[in-house]
Amino acid sequence: MLTSFEQTIIEPARYQLETLIIGQELLGLEQTASTNSLIRERAFAGVAEGLVIVANEQTAGRGRRGRNWSAPAGSSLLLSLLLRPTWLVPSESFLLTMLAAVSISEAIERETSCTVELKWPNDLLINGRKLAGILVELETAGPERLRWAVIGSGINVNWQPSDDPTINQAATSLASECGHEVDRAGLLRAILHSYDRHYLNLRSGRREALRQAWLDRLTTLGKAVEVELSSHSFTGVAEAVDQHGGLQVRDSTGELQTVYAGDVKVRPLA
């Protein structure tokens, strides 16, 4: 169970995993600075894809754009996995964000009564509140090939937002939404099985099915949004997502702008 981790390799067979790639090496830690940082070290060292590191607590977890990710110890699923999708070109790397979002969403819905929606580019929501975030980090072998990818995620499982005033009150948890605690061990197993199935499909070339599953959950389209870039901000209506994962926003002048990196906040339609 995930109540307390030892600093050891968890045998997938004893953890009831029947995956072909994801989680064939599974490392559980009581505490670490960042599961993504640990996976990156192993990626540079040449470890095979499929390695998963799970932590009971992170002291320096990271989100997008260098933000911190914090959660009470023992309350969340904090995991990172290593992939070596050398068959993807860097411009297709947003497929990995889609992979994570769909895999985690489907697993949550299998294990709970909650329905998960997605906010571009990488947030999982329940009832409009943030449940989980995804961070994908890449190493390329030139402009034409990925060397490896690390996918990290933090999923709020068993805490009540009102219990911790330091946590953003726009966030939520599975326990808060479902009205009861959720078995983190069972949820982890479901997530790894879902990852494995979708990754095998993606590797075999079935990309459109994954993209459609992601789009079916995306709530950003058709909404008025405020886009914050490093240099400026603008408002408009989110209309589509291009083949590389860019959000296409029709701004107030009628120009269609494509956003690949930035903060997007949904605003009420005027």
Side-chain angles (χ1 to χ4, degrees):
M1 299 294 290
L2 300 185
T3 53
S4 181
F5 289 121
E6 299 177 358
Q7 295 189 17
T8 184
I9 296 294
I10 303 170
E11 293 182 17
R14 272 198 276 164
Y15 205 59
Q16 301 175 3
L17 282 180
E18 298 175 354
T19 56
L20 296 179
I21 297 175
I22 307 300
Q24 285 302 294
E25 184 177 357
L26 182 57
L27 175 62
L29 301 175
E30 180 62 34
Q31 183 187 81
T32 188
S34 164
T35 55
N36 261 34
S37 295
L38 288 178
I39 289 267
R40 284 171 56 89
E41 293 173 5
R42 286 158 173 78
F44 280 116
V47 169
E49 70 173 354
L51 169 66
V52 175
I53 297 181
V54 190
N56 216 35
E57 181 182 14
Q58 285 188 141
T59 58
R62 303 192 308 280
R64 290 180 63 246
R65 310 186 80 182
R67 295 187 179 95
N68 292 330
W69 177 279
S70 62
S75 68
S76 302
L77 266 181
L78 308 168
L79 66 145
S80 298
L81 61 91
L82 172 63
L83 299 177
R84 294 190 179 276
T86 55
W87 32 269
L88 278 181
V89 297
S91 63
E92 298 173 319
S93 60
F94 196 76
L95 285 166
L96 301 176
T97 298
M98 293 180 175
L99 168 72
V102 172
S103 297
I104 296 171
S105 296
E106 290 185 355
I108 288 171
E109 291 179 351
R110 282 198 298 271
E111 295 297 306
T112 74
S113 60
C114 294
T115 298
V116 182
E117 298 176 330
L118 303 177
K119 173 181 172 290
W120 187 93
N122 65 340
D123 287 346
L124 280 67
L125 311 177
I126 295 181
N127 295 324
R129 301 172 72 189
K130 184 171 179 177
L131 174 75
I134 297 163
L135 178 63
V136 178
E137 299 182 280
L138 307 171
E139 176 75 8
T140 62
E144 297 301 324
R145 188 168 66 90
L146 289 178
R147 191 184 305 276
W148 50 257
V150 171
I151 304 178
S153 58
I155 306 163
N156 301 328
V157 182
N158 290 325
W159 56 263
Q160 298 294 335
S162 59
D163 293 341
D164 189 340
T166 67
I167 293 176
N168 186 338
Q169 294 304 297
T172 193
S173 69
L174 289 175
S176 179
E177 299 297 331
C178 298
H180 58 82
E181 289 198 351
V182 173
D183 175 23
R184 291 188 300 155
L187 181 57
L188 176 60
R189 283 193 296 270
I191 288 171
L192 299 186
H193 282 128
S194 187
Y195 259 124
D196 198 60
R197 177 169 54 86
H198 284 294
Y199 185 60
L200 288 168
N201 287 338
L202 184 60
R203 192 173 68 173
S204 67
R206 284 173 277 185
R207 303 179 181 187
E208 190 52 40
L210 177 65
R211 176 182 170 83
Q212 190 59 53
W214 181 83
L215 285 171
D216 288 345
R217 296 177 182 275
L218 188 65
T219 63
T220 310
L221 301 185
K223 303 288 181 61
V225 296
E226 178 182 347
V227 181
E228 296 182 5
L229 305 177
S230 58
S231 58
H232 68 286
S233 300
F234 68 94
T235 59
V237 176
E239 292 190 353
V241 176
D242 74 9
Q243 62 178 340
H244 302 302
L247 183 67
Q248 296 180 320
V249 179
R250 185 79 58 183
D251 68 19
S252 57
T253 70
E255 181 182 354
L256 190 65
Q257 299 197 40
T258 302
V259 180
Y260 292 103
D263 279 341
V264 174
K265 298 177 181 178
V266 176
R267 299 299 187 200
L269 285 169

